[in-house]
Amino acid sequence: MNKLLIISFDAVSSGEWESMSARYTNIAAFARTASVTLGVQSVFPSNTYPVHCSVATGVHPCDHGVSSNTHPFPTRYPRWITDASAIHARTLWQAASEAGLTVAAVLWPCTGGSPHIRWNIPEIHILPGENQIAANLRSGSKLLQARMVLRYGKLRSGVSQPALDRFVTACSADILRRNRPDLTLVHLSCYDALRHQNPGGSPQLDEAYASLDENLGALLSAIDNDTVVIIFSDHAQLDVHTVLTPNDVLVGMGLLDASDAGYAIGDHRCYIECCGGSAFFHPGSLAPFDTTAVLESIAASEGFSHLLTDEEMRISGRSDLPFGFSAKPGYSYNNVKPGAEPALKGNHGYPLDIAGYDVFYAVRGAGSIPGETRRGGTLLDIAPLARSILGIHT
C-alpha cells in the first residue's frame, strides 16, 4: 500500500502553476516526474474552506455542509468554520482512520477536533482578544503542537507570510520523518495571503512563488519513495480595484441598521452574506416585504454582474435562499467597509466560468505518467483518486 501526501497550493491558478514550473527548481523537477492536469474546474463557492472540504469528501458544499469560510451571520470579526464536525460527509481522514491507517494534518481547513487525525495541527482563526496557542491546543493534538512550537515556533511571526508556511513545512517534515503517517494533509497559504495584498504579476508575488518552491523541496525530502504526492490548488484569484458593501443597499432601504462595528443584525433581520466574488441574500423572518424590490436595488448597484443560476445556488448549499449574485471582475463583496482593513488587491469566491480562473492538480506516483499534461476535470476527482491510492474501497 502506498502512503499519500496531499499538498494544497492555496490560490495558485492553472496558468500560475505553468509559470512556476518553468522558473522554480523544485516545482519544475516535480512537474517532470508527475502527471499534471491543467484547466481544472474548482468548486463553487470558490473559497478556501468549501473547496478544501470538497477535496476531502469528493462532493459539493450542498452535500458536505461547509458553504463558506465563515459562519454566515455577518459581524465585524466573523467566526471561521474550523471544526471537523461542520463537515457532514465522509472525509478522507475519516475513511483512512476507519481503515486502520494513520493520518496527519497541518493547517488543513476544518480539521479541528477530529478524532480521526492522529497528528493534528488545525488551522484555527482567532478573534481579537483570543490566544492562538490556547485555541490550537483545544482543537488539535496537544503534545504534538507543544513540541512543534518549542522546536519551530521561532520560524513564525504570528500568521504573517511567508513565515507561517515555513513553520507549517517544518512541522510537516518533522511529522513525515518521525511518524510516517499513511495520509498527510498540508495547507500552504502564502500565495493566497500575498495575492490578496498585491495585483497579479506584481514583483512582490515572487516571494510567494519562491516560498512554495522552497517548502515543496523540504516536504519532498522528508518522504520515502513509496509515498505518492498530490499537489492541487483550491481556487484562483482575480484582481480587485473596488471593494463593495452590498448590505448598504439594505440599509438604504430601511431593512438593516448600520453600526460602526459593521452591521447590527438581529436574529430575524434580512442581510447579505458576502463571499468575495459572490453574495447571498438571507431574507430573515420579519414581516413579509418585497424581495423583488431588494433584487432590483442590488441589480442596479455598482459592480453587480448577474444573478447566480439555480445550479450554482444548489451546489453551494443555498437553494433555500431567494437569490445570490456575482460581482463583476475587478469588484469584490465584503461586510466590512473599505478602509476598515488592509486594501484588497485580489480575491476569489467568483463563479467558475471566468476565463483564467481555473486551477490544477498534479500527481507523482501511483501509476501516473511522468511529464504527462492533461486538461479538464474538477477538484472533485481528487478524493476518489486518493481513496484508490490508499486502498480504501468503502
Side-chain angles (χ1 to χ4, degrees):
M1 182 197 71
N2 292 302
K3 296 181 181 300
L4 176 60
L5 168 62
I6 303 179
I7 307 171
S8 166
F9 275 19
D10 199 314
V12 174
S13 71
S14 179
E16 286 160 341
W17 168 264
E18 289 186 276
S19 176
M20 287 192 297
S21 299
R23 296 174 56 195
Y24 292 93
T25 304
N26 294 314
I27 294 173
F30 183 86
R32 286 194 297 270
T33 58
S35 175
V36 179
T37 304
L38 303 172
V40 176
Q41 188 177 73
S42 183
V43 174
F44 185 75
S46 52
N47 288 316
T48 300
Y49 279 36
V51 179
H52 278 77
C53 291
S54 287
V55 168
T57 60
V59 298
H60 287 288
C62 60
D63 295 315
H64 63 60
V66 179
S67 296
S68 178
N69 290 345
T70 61
H71 292 280
F73 196 76
T75 60
R76 175 64 179 88
Y77 299 107
R79 175 69 71 180
W80 285 62
I81 302 170
T82 56
D83 201 86
S85 63
I87 306 175
H88 300 151
R90 196 163 184 247
T91 61
L92 287 174
W93 52 85
Q94 179 182 354
S97 176
E98 291 174 351
L101 305 179
T102 55
V103 182
V106 183
L107 264 66
W108 191 275
C110 295
T111 54
S114 172
H116 304 289
I117 302 174
R118 183 170 177 179
W119 301 284
N120 192 8
I121 305 177
E123 183 171 79
I124 304 296
H125 294 262
I126 61 171
L127 300 184
E130 296 178 343
N131 182 278
Q132 184 71 67
I133 293 177
N136 266 81
L137 289 175
R138 285 194 299 270
S139 297
S141 304
K142 291 180 174 59
L143 291 178
L144 170 71
Q145 292 186 97
R147 287 197 300 269
M148 293 298 103
V149 169
L150 289 173
R151 289 174 187 162
Y152 307 115
K154 62 184 179 182
L155 298 175
R156 268 180 38 184
S157 178
V159 295
S160 65
Q161 292 285 14
L164 181 60
D165 271 10
R166 285 196 291 269
F167 174 75
V168 168
T169 298
C171 294
S172 301
D174 189 302
I175 294 168
L176 286 164
R177 288 195 176 97
R178 291 173 183 266
N179 306 114
R180 303 190 73 247
D182 296 302
L183 170 63
T184 305
L185 304 154
V186 180
H187 179 212
L188 299 177
S189 58
C190 177
Y191 183 77
D192 182 66
L194 295 184
R195 182 65 176 87
H196 280 302
Q197 302 167 17
N198 298 280
S202 299
Q204 293 90 335
L205 296 178
D206 289 342
E207 183 179 23
Y209 294 137
S211 171
L212 287 172
D213 187 67
E214 179 182 354
N215 291 326
L216 176 61
L219 290 170
L220 295 180
S221 70
I223 61 176
D224 298 326
N225 292 331
D226 65 345
T227 301
V228 179
V229 181
I230 298 176
I231 303 175
F232 77 96
S233 173
D234 52 349
H235 54 72
Q237 287 212 37
L238 301 179
D239 284 342
V240 170
H241 56 69
T242 304
V243 176
L244 303 168
T245 51
N247 276 297
D248 287 342
V249 173
L250 302 185
V251 172
M253 298 179 70
L255 298 172
L256 187 60
D257 297 325
S259 75
D260 292 337
Y263 297 95
I265 301 172
D267 291 341
H268 306 291
R269 300 301 297 268
C270 66
Y271 66 93
I272 293 170
E273 177 190 1
C274 298
C275 299
S278 58
F280 300 89
F281 175 65
H282 292 251
S285 57
L286 288 174
F289 60 91
D290 189 358
T291 301
T292 302
V294 175
L295 174 57
E296 291 174 349
S297 295
I298 292 293
S301 64
E302 180 186 6
F304 173 86
S305 175
H306 60 271
L307 290 177
L308 299 177
T309 67
D310 290 344
E311 179 64 4
E312 287 167 335
M313 295 294 288
R314 185 190 71 79
I315 63 176
S316 68
R318 311 303 177 83
S319 58
D320 59 324
L321 300 180
F323 64 87
F325 52 99
S326 170
K328 295 177 182 177
Y331 292 86
S332 178
Y333 293 131
N334 202 335
N335 291 321
V336 180
K337 292 183 179 297
E341 59 182 18
L344 191 68
K345 300 298 183 182
N347 211 354
H348 42 83
Y350 298 88
L352 306 179
D353 56 355
I354 300 172
Y357 195 57
D358 50 2
V359 293
F360 78 95
Y361 65 88
V363 184
R364 190 182 77 175
S368 61
I369 301 174
E372 177 188 49
T373 300
R374 302 182 297 175
R375 298 196 69 86
T378 81
L379 290 181
L380 299 181
D381 299 333
I382 293 177
L385 173 62
R387 287 195 294 265
S388 176
I389 291 168
L390 292 170
I392 299 171
H393 304 295
T394 58

